[in-house]
Structures are given as C-alpha cells and as structure tokens.
Amino acid sequence: MHHIRKLSSGNVIVMTLSGKLTRSDYAEIVPFLAKFIKKYKKIRLLVELDNFEGWAANTTLDDIVFIFRYGFHIEKIAFLVHGKQDQLVVLLDRPFGRALGKNVKYFHYTSRGDAWEWITNGATAVVDQTFPVNKGSEDGGQ
C-alpha cells in the first residue's frame, strides 16, 4: 500500500509505503511520478517505510522496468525507516540503491527534519523548507 502526501513540494515527492507493494500500487505510483518527471525532468523522493513488507512476487519486473525507465530522472532518495523490519526490507533493494550511489540515504523516522533538509538541499523547485505534515493524499495516493 502507498500514500502520497499532499505536500510534495516542487520536485520533491513524499510518500509512505506500508504492507506489500503490489502491481496495483505500481500502476498508480508510476504515472504519478512520471507526471512530475515530465514537469521537472529530475525528481527527489522521500519515502517513509512504515511496517513495509517489501514487494509482491509479481512486481519484480515492474520494479526493474521502473528503474531502467525512470532511474536517471531521480536525483535523490531519502528513506525514513521505523524499525528493524523496514531496515531489513531496504537491504533487499540494494541494487537500486547502488545505481543511485551517494544519492540514497537512510534516516530513522525520528530524524524527519534531517531527511527533509538533505532531500531538499540544492533543490530549486522546493516551496516549503519544512517537513510536510500528513495532509491527506494526492493523485494516486491511498
């Protein structure tokens, strides 16, 4: 399941992932991100993992296609993790992280401000320099 926060400031998109990410989730997330990529050319993601269980078995191809199609449009990704389960799941996606190198960072969820500062540092399209509070969902979020 996913949730895209209403304040995704400029080219910085904030989303929460929990449970298992399904093909249905990809079918909503990818067009949403593509819209921002079309507008800004490069995007930054702040992804909060909250009891995230990983990807459903049938989403592997979706993940690979997404990485090859849009990976070079992603400037930075910050992951907010809640606990050991989230940290372990992140390890499974290391190949994606390696593709972005130093542009991927992991933060404990209590360090939201630090994550927001890192993800927005140098971003020209960011309107608000404070971490967005949960204001509901936007196009494609649940």
Side-chain angles (χ1 to χ4, degrees), residues 59-80:
T59 63
T60 303
L61 182 58
D62 296 322
D63 202 31
I64 291 168
V65 168
F66 175 78
I67 292 165
F68 280 109
R69 186 167 185 193
Y70 296 107
F72 62 93
H73 293 287
I74 300 173
E75 287 183 304
K76 289 182 170 184
I77 298 178
F79 286 100
L80 288 172

Side-chain angles (χ1 to χ4, degrees), residues 4 20 70:
I4 299 170
K20 275 204 190 270
Y70 296 107

Side-chain angles (χ1 to χ4, degrees), residues 25-142:
D25 292 323
Y26 271 95
E28 293 180 18
I29 292 170
V30 171
F32 180 82
L33 295 179
K35 179 175 72 173
F36 278 86
I37 288 168
K38 184 176 182 182
K39 181 175 182 178
Y40 294 106
K41 306 301 181 230
K42 297 279 187 178
I43 61 171
R44 296 170 179 218
L45 300 172
L46 195 154
V47 180
E48 183 169 2
L49 302 177
D50 187 9
N51 293 310
F52 186 58
E53 298 172 11
W55 300 261
N58 63 355
T59 63
T60 303
L61 182 58
D62 296 322
D63 202 31
I64 291 168
V65 168
F66 175 78
I67 292 165
F68 280 109
R69 186 167 185 193
Y70 296 107
F72 62 93
H73 293 287
I74 300 173
E75 287 183 304
K76 289 182 170 184
I77 298 178
F79 286 100
L80 288 172
V81 296
H82 282 251
K84 288 195 183 282
Q85 176 184 336
D86 295 329
Q87 292 170 347
L88 291 173
V89 171
V90 167
L91 290 175
L92 296 174
D93 205 30
R94 284 289 183 193
F96 182 60
R98 278 193 209 109
L100 290 170
K102 64 180 173 27
N103 295 325
V104 176
K105 256 185 141 175
Y106 304 90
F107 299 85
H108 190 265
Y109 79 98
T110 58
S111 299
R112 292 172 197 268
D114 294 339
W116 184 251
E117 183 178 324
W118 181 78
I119 201 74
T120 60
N121 186 23
T124 57
V126 174
V127 178
D128 188 354
Q129 292 298 322
T130 59
F131 185 82
V133 294
N134 189 1
K135 296 181 181 178
S137 64
E138 191 173 298
D139 303 334
Q142 287 185 349

